[in-house]
Amino acid sequence: MKETALRIADFKDSIFGVISKLARDNHAVNLGQGFPDFDGPAWLKDIVYKKMQEGHNQYAPFPGTPSLREQVAKYYESFYRLRYNPEDQVTVTVGATEAIYLVVTALVNPGDEVIVLEPFYDSYVASIKMAGGVPVPVTMHAPDFVVDAKELERAISPRTKLLIINNPHHPTGKVWTKEELTEISKLAGKHDLYVLSDEVYEFLLFDGATHLPLASLEGMFERTITVSSAGKTFGLTGWKIGWICASREVSRACRLVHQYVTFSVSTPMQEAVAEALTKLPTYLPDFVDLYRSKRDFFYGEMRKLGFEFEIPRGTYFMMVPIGSKTRLKDVDYAMKLIKERQVATVPPSAFYLKSTEGEGYLRFCFAKKEETLRAALKNLDGL
Ligand SMILES: Cc1ncc(COP(=O)(O)O)c(C=O)c1O
């Protein structure tokens, strides 16, 4: 048979699948999987059932159901004072992952360069490569995961079209400061770049941190494409309802791709998420509290085990430095922990193209039942 396409020739199985299989094979407690091991809210599951019973079961309009686009636009306005027209500036996608693929495909020509801030969510680079673009990594330097503005500017060339940022940041848990975002905005303006801002963890913030959408910074509304999704916010990652908020022109380009990749997204799920978004103000305090208590518990116990690091202010991940425990690199240490301690984590070097800084860390996901976290901690005891 002839070979499969060259554009995927260097793609490997995603690290998440590899770790999950190893976790199963070794009966390990899985803190590698980046999603809750408990269910989302019962009231929301009741809503989707109601939507099905009400007959929302045929193809939705391809840009998304009017009710979901309207509710997305409403929460951007009420939470962030950002005004998107649901008619032509909000597009519903199959999770943030499809949204990222659409944005990159709609904007990037073969040979165009795209800045990715490493460690990065792995679908960014895959999407860039599928579009024939060139990922250009700029490292968020450990231990504070800070980007050097000069280094960032040096990475920009006349071929740079797009920069991708993730805030709050997976896997580090970093929440970008206004100063850092302003720095990036200035460079985007100066070099006329689009910026894809992946904000899927926008509501998972702790210790008084607030979300500052990049699009709300001066001069950034037109050039920012904001991507988010309901998966993390409602603890139902399998529902896969995401969206893109962008200028009319970019939204139109994304929709042109979307109509041929997906055509339309699950109707009852969209209708349920639309209703759920109206409940954000009452839902969020308990939601954040639940994750904050998990974070505090897991962080406190990890410190007791001798891991030294700053507590993350966002997301449900921790990048834990392993240097005080081992001379092994992240991948080897992750394998050792799975096999000898029955605890699965993700080696973050999979999220880097250039720097080796990730080799000194492991990513732990604390979106787990208390019994899961306790079981993992028990297995790690005495390391
Ligand atoms: C930074 C980031 N972006 C996007 C996604 C994908 O989101 P979705 O499940 O909505 O496709 C994830 C999932 O883990 C993520 O961590």
Side-chain angles (χ1 to χ4, degrees):
M1 295 297 284
K2 290 181 182 171
E3 285 174 354
T4 54
L6 282 177
R7 74 173 70 82
I8 57 158
D10 68 345
F11 282 19
K12 300 191 195 91
D13 289 337
S14 120
I15 187 71
F16 307 113
V18 173
I19 291 292
S20 286
K21 181 173 181 321
L22 275 172
R24 278 193 304 276
D25 293 350
N26 289 277
H27 308 288
V29 184
N30 197 342
L31 301 191
Q33 253 170 0
F35 54 84
D37 67 347
F38 49 93
D39 217 351
W43 57 264
L44 187 41
K45 290 186 286 179
D46 290 343
I47 293 177
V48 79
Y49 182 69
K50 182 183 81 181
K51 297 296 179 189
M52 287 178 181
Q53 294 305 318
E54 285 172 2
H56 296 283
N57 298 304
Q58 304 303 338
Y59 285 138
F62 82 88
T65 65
S67 56
L68 179 53
R69 281 182 283 134
E70 202 168 295
Q71 289 311 326
V72 169
K74 276 196 175 150
Y75 95 71
Y76 275 85
E77 177 150 19
S78 69
F79 280 77
Y80 310 127
R81 300 192 184 177
L82 285 169
R83 299 184 81 172
Y84 291 100
N85 186 340
E87 211 32 61
D88 50 14
Q89 296 183 311
V90 180
T91 304
V92 178
T93 57
V94 182
T97 310
E98 192 214 356
I100 292 157
Y101 177 81
L102 298 186
V103 173
V104 171
T105 306
L107 292 179
V108 173
N109 286 316
D112 283 349
E113 293 175 6
V114 181
I115 306 269
V116 286
L117 306 177
E118 60 180 19
F120 46 74
Y121 179 58
D122 61 350
S123 87
Y124 303 159
V125 167
S127 292
I128 295 164
K129 287 186 177 168
M130 284 190 277
V134 181
V136 178
V138 174
T139 307
M140 299 166 64
H141 292 293
D144 298 326
F145 304 105
V146 172
V147 165
D148 179 317
K150 289 204 185 78
E151 202 179 321
L152 176 56
E153 185 155 27
R154 276 200 302 276
I156 299 171
S157 84
R159 299 232 59 173
T160 311
K161 184 86 170 273
L162 174 69
L163 180 152
I164 305 182
I165 184 171
N166 173 215
N167 182 34
H169 185 259
H170 164 204
T172 64
K174 172 192 171 96
V175 180
W176 296 77
T177 64
K178 184 167 188 187
E179 290 68 36
E180 289 175 312
L181 294 177
T182 304
E183 202 72 66
I184 286 172
S185 303
K186 281 189 191 149
L187 288 177
K190 183 172 164 193
H191 297 277
D192 190 22
L193 308 182
Y194 286 106
V195 184
L196 190 173
S197 188
D198 175 349
E199 301 180 5
V200 295
Y201 299 100
E202 65 192 299
F203 295 116
L204 268 170
L205 292 168
F206 314 111
D207 309 333
T210 51
H211 183 59
L212 188 61
L214 193 72
S216 66
L217 270 75
E218 200 187 323
M220 290 305 286
F221 187 79
E222 286 292 317
R223 62 177 71 254
T224 303
I225 301 105
T226 306
V227 164
S228 194
S229 97
K232 321 289 171 182
T233 300
F234 294 104
L236 293 157
T237 56
W239 282 27
K240 297 295 292 179
I241 300 293
W243 45 85
I244 300 168
C245 294
S247 68
R248 243 166 231 110
E249 294 67 30
V250 174
S251 296
R252 180 171 150 67
C254 291
R255 288 178 179 191
L256 290 173
V257 185
H258 172 74
Q259 69 181 339
Y260 295 123
V261 171
T262 312
F263 171 51
S264 89
V265 180
S266 164
T267 311
M269 296 301 185
Q270 291 192 65
E271 290 298 287
V273 170
E275 197 168 324
L277 289 176
T278 66
K279 301 182 192 303
L280 279 177
T282 49
Y283 163 76
L284 285 176
D286 286 347
F287 163 76
V288 174
D289 227 42
L290 174 72
Y291 283 88
R292 190 193 42 71
S293 70
K294 290 184 183 301
R295 178 200 65 153
D296 291 353
F297 168 69
F298 191 66
Y299 178 75
E301 296 300 311
M302 289 294 279
R303 289 296 298 248
K304 282 187 209 159
L305 290 179
F307 290 101
E308 298 252 329
F309 59 110
E310 291 289 315
I311 193 162
R313 297 180 76 212
T315 79
Y316 46 54
F317 298 105
M318 289 181 189
M319 278 272 273
V320 177
I322 55 176
S324 64
K325 301 285 180 192
T326 182
R327 304 185 87 162
L328 294 176
K329 292 179 183 170
D330 63 334
V331 175
D332 295 332
Y333 195 52
M335 296 306 161
K336 186 175 158 77
L337 290 188
I338 292 179
K339 289 181 182 152
E340 294 176 13
R341 294 287 180 148
Q342 282 73 48
V343 175
T345 61
V346 169
S349 53
F351 306 141
Y352 289 79
L353 281 180
K354 186 173 66 164
S355 168
T356 54
E357 288 178 39
E359 292 174 356
Y361 289 83
L362 287 180
R363 188 200 80 174
F364 288 77
C365 174
F366 60 82
K368 305 294 170 192
K369 292 179 205 148
E370 188 178 329
E371 67 204 60
T372 310
L373 295 177
R374 282 190 190 279
L377 289 161
K378 191 164 162 245
N379 291 358
L380 293 176
D381 197 16
L383 265 184

